[in-house]
Coordinates of all heavy atoms in Angstrom, one line a residue:
Chain B
Q124 N -5.4 -13.8 -2.6 CA -4.4 -14.4 -1.8 C -3.9 -13.4 -0.7 O -3.7 -13.8 0.4 CB -3.2 -14.8 -2.6 CG -3.5 -15.8 -3.7 CD -3.8 -17.2 -3.1 OE1 -3.1 -17.6 -2.1 NE2 -4.7 -17.9 -3.6
A134 N -11.1 -18.9 3.4 CA -11.3 -19.6 2.1 C -11.6 -21.1 2.3 O -10.8 -21.7 3.0 CB -10.1 -19.4 1.2
D135 N -12.7 -21.6 1.7 CA -13.0 -23.0 1.8 C -13.1 -23.6 0.5 O -13.8 -23.1 -0.4 CB -14.2 -23.2 2.6 CG -14.2 -22.6 4.0 OD1 -13.4 -23.0 4.8 OD2 -14.9 -21.5 4.2
W136 N -12.5 -24.8 0.3 CA -12.6 -25.5 -1.0 C -14.0 -26.2 -1.0 O -14.3 -26.9 0.0 CB -11.5 -26.5 -1.2 CG -10.2 -25.9 -1.6 CD1 -9.1 -25.7 -0.7 CD2 -9.8 -25.4 -2.8 NE1 -8.1 -25.1 -1.4 CE2 -8.5 -24.9 -2.7 CE3 -10.5 -25.2 -4.0 CZ2 -7.8 -24.3 -3.8 CZ3 -9.8 -24.6 -5.1 CH2 -8.5 -24.2 -5.0
V137 N -14.7 -26.1 -2.0 CA -16.0 -26.8 -2.2 C -16.1 -27.4 -3.5 O -15.3 -27.1 -4.4 CB -17.2 -25.8 -2.0 CG1 -17.2 -25.2 -0.6 CG2 -17.2 -24.8 -3.1
A138 N -17.0 -28.4 -3.7 CA -17.2 -29.0 -5.0 C -18.0 -28.1 -5.8 O -19.0 -27.6 -5.4 CB -17.8 -30.4 -4.8
A139 N -17.5 -27.9 -7.1 CA -18.3 -27.0 -8.0 C -18.8 -27.9 -9.2 O -19.0 -27.4 -10.3 CB -17.4 -25.9 -8.5
R143 N -15.0 -30.8 -10.1 CA -14.5 -29.5 -10.1 C -14.5 -28.9 -8.7 O -15.3 -29.3 -7.8 CB -15.3 -28.5 -11.0 CG -15.4 -29.0 -12.4 CD -15.9 -27.9 -13.3 NE -15.1 -26.8 -13.3 CZ -15.3 -25.7 -14.1 NH1 -16.4 -25.7 -14.8 NH2 -14.6 -24.7 -14.1
R144 N -13.5 -28.0 -8.5 CA -13.4 -27.5 -7.2 C -13.4 -25.9 -7.3 O -13.1 -25.4 -8.3 CB -12.0 -27.9 -6.5 CG -10.9 -27.3 -7.3 CD -9.6 -28.0 -7.1 NE -8.7 -27.7 -8.2 CZ -8.1 -26.5 -8.3 NH1 -8.4 -25.5 -7.5 NH2 -7.3 -26.3 -9.4
A145 N -13.9 -25.3 -6.3 CA -13.9 -23.9 -6.2 C -13.6 -23.4 -4.8 O -13.8 -24.2 -3.9 CB -15.3 -23.3 -6.7
R146 N -13.1 -22.2 -4.7 CA -12.8 -21.7 -3.4 C -13.7 -20.6 -3.0 O -13.8 -19.6 -3.6 CB -11.4 -21.2 -3.4 CG -10.4 -21.9 -2.5 CD -9.1 -21.3 -2.5 NE -8.4 -21.5 -1.2 CZ -7.2 -21.1 -0.9 NH1 -6.5 -20.6 -1.8 NH2 -6.7 -21.4 0.2
V147 N -14.4 -20.9 -1.9 CA -15.4 -19.9 -1.5 C -14.8 -19.0 -0.4 O -14.3 -19.5 0.6 CB -16.7 -20.6 -0.9 CG1 -17.6 -19.6 -0.3 CG2 -17.4 -21.4 -2.0
Y148 N -14.9 -17.7 -0.7 CA -14.4 -16.7 0.3 C -15.4 -16.1 1.1 O -16.5 -15.8 0.7 CB -13.6 -15.7 -0.5 CG -12.4 -16.2 -1.3 CD1 -12.6 -16.7 -2.6 CD2 -11.2 -16.2 -0.7 CE1 -11.5 -17.2 -3.3 CE2 -10.1 -16.7 -1.4 CZ -10.2 -17.2 -2.6 OH -9.2 -17.7 -3.3
Chain C
dA32 P -17.8 -21.3 -11.8 OP1 -18.4 -22.4 -11.1 OP2 -18.4 -19.9 -11.7 O5' -16.2 -21.2 -11.5 C5' -15.6 -22.3 -11.0 C4' -14.1 -22.1 -11.0 O4' -13.5 -22.1 -12.3 C3' -13.5 -20.8 -10.4 O3' -13.3 -21.0 -9.0 C2' -12.2 -20.6 -11.1 C1' -12.1 -21.8 -12.1 N9 -11.5 -21.4 -13.4 C8 -11.9 -20.4 -14.2 N7 -11.1 -20.3 -15.3 C5 -10.1 -21.3 -15.1 C6 -9.0 -21.7 -15.8 N6 -8.6 -21.1 -16.9 N1 -8.2 -22.6 -15.3 C2 -8.6 -23.2 -14.1 N3 -9.6 -22.9 -13.4 C4 -10.4 -22.0 -13.9
dC33 P -12.5 -19.9 -8.1 OP1 -12.9 -20.1 -6.7 OP2 -12.7 -18.6 -8.7 O5' -11.0 -20.3 -8.3 C5' -10.5 -21.5 -7.7 C4' -9.1 -21.8 -8.2 O4' -9.0 -21.6 -9.6 C3' -8.1 -20.8 -7.6 O3' -7.4 -21.4 -6.5 C2' -7.1 -20.6 -8.8 C1' -7.7 -21.4 -9.9 N1 -7.6 -20.7 -11.2 C2 -6.6 -20.9 -12.1 O2 -5.7 -21.8 -11.8 N3 -6.5 -20.3 -13.3 C4 -7.4 -19.4 -13.6 N4 -7.3 -18.7 -14.8 C5 -8.5 -19.1 -12.7 C6 -8.6 -19.7 -11.6
dA34 P -6.5 -20.5 -5.6 OP1 -6.1 -21.3 -4.5 OP2 -7.2 -19.2 -5.4 O5' -5.2 -20.2 -6.5 C5' -4.3 -21.3 -6.9 C4' -3.2 -20.8 -7.8 O4' -3.8 -20.4 -9.1 C3' -2.5 -19.5 -7.3 O3' -1.3 -19.9 -6.7 C2' -2.3 -18.7 -8.6 C1' -2.8 -19.5 -9.7 N9 -3.5 -18.8 -10.7 C8 -4.7 -18.1 -10.7 N7 -5.0 -17.5 -11.8 C5 -3.9 -17.7 -12.6 C6 -3.7 -17.4 -14.0 N6 -4.5 -16.6 -14.7 N1 -2.5 -17.8 -14.5 C2 -1.7 -18.5 -13.8 N3 -1.8 -19.0 -12.5 C4 -3.0 -18.5 -12.0

Side-chain angles (χ1 to χ4, degrees):
Chain B
Q124 298 292 321
D135 304 292
W136 286 105
V137 297
R143 300 192 66 176
R144 67 203 160 67
R146 237 181 154 180
V147 172
Y148 295 90

